[in-house]
Amino acid sequence: MCGIVGAVAQRNITPILVEGLKRLEYRGYDSCGIALHIEGKLERSRSTSRVAELEKQVAEAHLEGFTGIAHTRWATHGAPASHNAHPHFSRGRIALVHNGIIENHDELRDELRAAGYEFESQTDTEVIAHLVDHLYTGDLFETVQLATRRLTGAFAIAVFCRDEPHRVVGARRGSPLIVGLGDGENFLASDALALAGTTDQIIYLEEGDVVDLQMQRIWIVDANGRQVAREVKTVHAHTGAVELGPYRHYMQKEIFEQPRAIADTLEGVESITPDIFGDDAYKVFKKIDSVLILACGTSYYAGLTAKYWLEAVAGVRTDVEIASEYRYRDSVPNPNALVVTISQSGETADTLAALRHAQSQDMQHTLTICNAATSAMVRECALAYITRAGVEVGVASTKAFTTQLAALFLLTLTLAQVKGRLPEEREVAFLKEMRHLPAAITAVLALEPQIIAWAEAFARKENALFLGRGIHYPIALEGALKLKEISYIHAEAYPAGELKHGPLALVTEEMPVVTVAPADSMIEKLKSNMQEVRARGGELYVFADGDSRITSSEGVHVIRMPEHYGLLSPILHVVPLQLLAYHTALARGTDVDKPRNLAKSVTVE
Ligand code: F6R
């Protein structure tokens, strides 16, 4: 999603800004731009193509300067067109980039039009640029504080002014913004990753902060205009570009990295102890009487899976809520609940807002399962478990999901232990199964050639149904999400028992029905549901295991999973569904790693 980089230095900063944008590229964007202060004027270049194209444009135009800002945009207000790309200018004096959404942009636009401003774009961002120009007092830092008080909504902005050549001002509310400290130079970015290789001295700005960035100093004020000191952290953001190696796409690479990612996520866990979630975890786990999981998309499906584990193994009542719904609902707060957020990026606006909503309702026992150790989610939760999936470049979550599941299973075992429901021999047996997961996933990945054969048939379809029962229902949901987001085939998932209550009407010989069918306690029921599909001509694609006793026949295609894995089976069964989505998308020729309209890190509501 949108990304910001800014710099004030005594050297040409163009390469730093471009490199920063490249590091943020994986988050998804549809246009990009850069603006610099050059010989008393504002100069800019914008592109609706990739950052590499912008880099060429900037080199051809010889855009070099000491002060500037750059941006990758994911369209919200206004189409992904050059005139809507950031930076936006106001009257040749103000240059501004923005992440987030300004909710009162219409009323501000009317006011600014009445004051004589003309608008070149449909964006809410241009409104802020004109507002800053309109309120300009001769001091940009002071002006941005005045302007941001007029804004409703979420934003992180970086601004500079033609008349103050060695200054960039940043402000944040609701969207992340960090300061990078250098020697005689300072930087701004929406993510520390953008500055990897430039500086590792990072300040995370807090809600409402405004920062004045100059070459030799930085100055921060809080939402009330009071000067504040914020802690400087040394952040070792990942520096090396992520190599594709022998793979065609990052998604394929990331699917195949899962054995390593799970092994890394479980590394160091010799036995079950609450400390792995933080120093106070034992006290908190002892106190809580239920779990409330908040997440979005794939992370939400990880939460749905965990509900089965937490209730069955730990005996702890668990609710799972879609973050963007929970925050706007009048729910009944329970101060004794453990609020668990699940997020790959740790910056998802809806999940962060849901967390803050829970905190504002007096729910202070918070824990996050997150893949980004320096993210807002980790900073704002009392307890954390960092999954070690590594950087996930493909927009579709794969290794992030399976590592979330591994971490959630650890949480389940820990709560079970604290609640006195985990006898030692069970703990030892579960840990042994968890340690075997990397090898078990490697065996599942070997099914790829069989899945490729199925994908060719899928690529010709426009609809698909996914069925699962019990703990594999969330896995069916995740399989359908993977297929729709990267192959653009319409896919829906149902708990198989629901078929006859409506969706069975959709089943014809044109409808492929993917069925997750491990030999668990639900298998006989699931087989009856499969009969219902066959009787209507639907073609079944079944992921079964050795003891499911389902065999291939006309209209029934079966791939056998190598092992039956009991409670941990969802972690294995999602892998062939990821491969099916990947190879179907490949056969349809879609942009697998950057599917249309989607962004990696969803930092707007
Ligand atoms: C789907 C996908 C999304 C994310 C969702 C939450 O493949 O990746 O559905 O799971 O946007 O993102 P995080 O986990 O970063 O909070």
Side-chain angles (χ1 to χ4, degrees):
M1 209 151 244
C2 301
I4 291 177
V5 196
V8 196
Q10 303 172 51
R11 55 175 167 148
N12 173 27
I13 55 163
T14 304
I16 295 172
L17 297 185
V18 170
E19 182 58 30
L21 292 189
K22 283 187 180 164
R23 290 185 187 284
L24 297 176
E25 262 192 309
Y26 78 97
R27 299 160 67 114
Y29 66 104
D30 39 49
S31 58
C32 48
I34 183 168
L36 293 153
H37 194 286
I38 303 176
E39 292 171 4
K41 287 205 303 218
L42 306 183
E43 301 281 356
R44 78 180 154 191
S45 181
R46 296 182 288 180
S47 167
T48 50
S49 181
R50 314 311 293 167
V51 174
E53 184 55 37
L54 179 74
E55 187 177 19
K56 263 195 238 150
Q57 283 175 209
V58 168
E60 279 161 17
H62 302 291
L63 292 187
E64 295 183 356
F66 295 171
T67 302
I69 54 181
H71 192 258
T72 47
R73 172 174 189 255
W74 186 79
T76 54
H77 296 72
S82 207
H83 67 280
N84 285 329
H86 305 199
H88 286 280
F89 284 180
S90 179
R91 294 189 167 166
R93 182 161 68 167
I94 299 294
L96 183 141
V97 292
H98 160 227
N99 289 356
I101 292 176
I102 301 304
E103 287 166 14
N104 59 338
H105 67 100
D106 279 337
E107 94 202 33
L108 288 171
R109 192 179 284 108
D110 290 348
E111 182 184 323
L112 290 160
R113 274 207 180 107
Y117 285 90
E118 284 175 14
F119 286 80
E120 290 174 1
S121 77
Q122 288 82 46
T123 64
D124 48 349
T125 305
E126 194 183 5
V127 172
I128 321 176
H130 289 322
L131 182 67
V132 171
D133 186 75
H134 184 50
L135 299 176
Y136 189 59
T137 61
D139 179 331
L140 187 65
F141 185 45
E142 180 183 270
T143 308
V144 170
Q145 292 174 61
L146 295 175
T148 48
R149 276 182 215 136
R150 300 283 320 276
L151 303 177
T152 318
F155 58 82
I157 56 171
V159 202
F160 71 97
C161 173
R162 182 196 57 205
D163 304 340
E164 300 178 65
H166 302 292
R167 191 178 218 188
V168 171
V169 174
R172 69 153 289 197
R173 194 196 303 152
S175 295
L177 193 65
I178 58 120
V179 175
L181 304 178
D183 188 7
E185 52 188 23
N186 289 306
F187 310 92
L188 268 184
S190 48
D191 186 326
L193 184 67
L195 302 180
T198 300
T199 179
D200 60 2
Q201 295 302 292
I202 302 294
I203 294 173
Y204 290 90
L205 294 176
E206 293 186 10
E207 278 296 278
D209 282 357
V210 184
V211 60
D212 182 7
L213 210 69
Q214 302 192 20
M215 284 182 295
Q216 302 292 351
R217 55 155 233 175
I218 63 142
W219 192 269
I220 303 173
V221 293
D222 67 11
N224 299 314
R226 278 190 303 252
Q227 195 210 334
V228 283
R230 300 278 182 231
E231 191 188 346
V232 180
K233 294 193 171 154
T234 302
V235 175
H236 301 292
H238 175 87
T239 47
V242 182
E243 301 292 340
L244 255 183
Y247 299 100
R248 273 181 82 171
H249 293 97
Y250 284 105
M251 182 178 176
Q252 186 189 25
K253 174 175 188 267
E254 287 155 7
I255 291 172
F256 277 83
E257 276 175 351
Q258 290 178 109
R260 196 269 312 140
I262 299 238
D264 287 356
T265 296
L266 299 178
E267 198 187 281
V269 181
E270 298 302 329
S271 60
I272 294 301
T273 147
D275 298 357
I276 56 175
F277 295 93
D279 291 345
D280 288 334
Y282 178 75
K283 261 197 293 179
V284 172
F285 292 172
K286 201 79 197 150
K287 225 183 281 172
I288 58 107
D289 62 8
S290 60
V291 169
L292 170 64
I293 297 180
L294 306 171
C296 304
T298 290
S299 299
Y300 168 71
Y301 296 148
L304 283 184
T305 312
K307 176 181 167 80
Y308 288 85
W309 289 332
L310 285 160
E311 296 203 339
V313 181
V316 179
R317 186 196 142 171
T318 302
D319 294 307
V320 192
E321 298 251 7
I322 292 175
S324 57
E325 288 295 313
Y326 169 74
R327 59 185 289 202
Y328 291 117
R329 194 164 77 71
D330 287 329
S331 50
V332 182
N334 173 9
N336 293 322
L338 176 66
V339 178
V340 177
T341 62
I342 307 172
S343 177
Q344 188 285 126
S345 61
E347 301 291 351
T348 302
D350 287 322
T351 312
L352 277 171
L355 167 69
R356 291 170 190 153
H357 178 69
Q359 285 165 331
S360 75
Q361 306 249 306
D362 206 21
M363 295 164 78
Q364 303 307 332
H365 303 311
T366 55
L367 182 152
T368 188
I369 306 281
C370 187
N371 195 38
T374 57
S375 61
M377 204 76 73
V378 176
R379 291 197 305 277
E380 294 185 27
C381 282
L383 303 171
Y385 194 87
I386 308 298
T387 52
R388 299 208 196 100
V391 177
E392 193 177 64
V393 177
V395 162
S397 173
T398 52
K399 60 179 180 171
F401 179 67
T402 43
T403 52
Q404 285 167 350
L405 290 180
L408 286 160
F409 197 72
L410 282 179
L411 177 65
T412 303
L413 297 184
T414 312
L415 286 176
Q417 186 191 63
V418 173
K419 304 286 177 202
R421 290 176 58 119
L422 189 70
E424 205 183 320
E425 61 284 4
R426 250 188 126 194
E427 173 185 338
V428 171
F430 276 135
L431 280 175
K432 196 166 157 219
E433 278 181 38
M434 290 194 84
R435 285 197 202 99
H436 180 59
L437 274 172
I441 294 179
T442 305
V444 175
L445 290 168
L447 300 174
E448 192 181 31
Q450 295 177 57
I451 295 167
I452 292 174
W454 282 12
E456 275 153 26
F458 269 72
R460 294 190 291 273
K461 304 287 183 187
E462 289 310 323
N463 298 289
L465 273 179
F466 284 68
L467 302 180
R469 288 205 75 145
I471 200 165
H472 294 92
Y473 165 51
I475 297 307
L477 284 165
E478 172 60 4
L481 178 64
K482 286 289 89 95
L483 189 70
K484 69 186 122 183
E485 69 182 324
I486 61 165
S487 75
Y488 315 149
I489 291 173
H490 171 226
E492 289 192 58
Y494 280 93
E498 270 292 290
L499 259 192
K500 55 190 172 300
H501 298 291
L504 202 53
L506 294 171
V507 174
T508 65
E509 53 282 3
E510 280 309 302
M511 180 67 86
V513 181
V514 179
T515 312
V516 184
D520 60 14
S521 60
M522 305 294 281
I523 188 68
E524 292 309 322
K525 305 264 174 233
L526 188 66
K527 282 185 191 164
S528 313
N529 303 139
M530 287 161 56
Q531 292 302 328
E532 292 160 12
V533 170
R534 262 323 283 149
R536 273 97 194 154
E539 194 133 349
L540 285 160
Y541 292 84
V542 188
F543 290 101
D545 44 27
D547 27 13
S548 306
R549 279 195 256 118
I550 300 171
T551 46
S552 298
S553 57
E554 207 199 324
V556 184
H557 313 269
V558 180
I559 289 181
R560 249 170 237 297
M561 298 286 285
E563 289 179 61
H564 179 61
Y565 225 72
L567 271 180
L568 287 166
S569 156
I571 303 181
L572 297 191
H573 267 275
V574 74
V575 174
L577 302 186
Q578 297 167 343
L579 284 169
L580 181 63
Y582 171 71
H583 285 289
T584 306
L586 199 64
R588 284 167 75 99
T590 56
D591 190 349
V592 172
D593 285 331
K594 295 192 175 72
R596 69 183 177 209
N597 307 339
L598 299 181
K600 181 69 189 159
S601 177
V602 187
T603 49
V604 294
E605 188 179 340

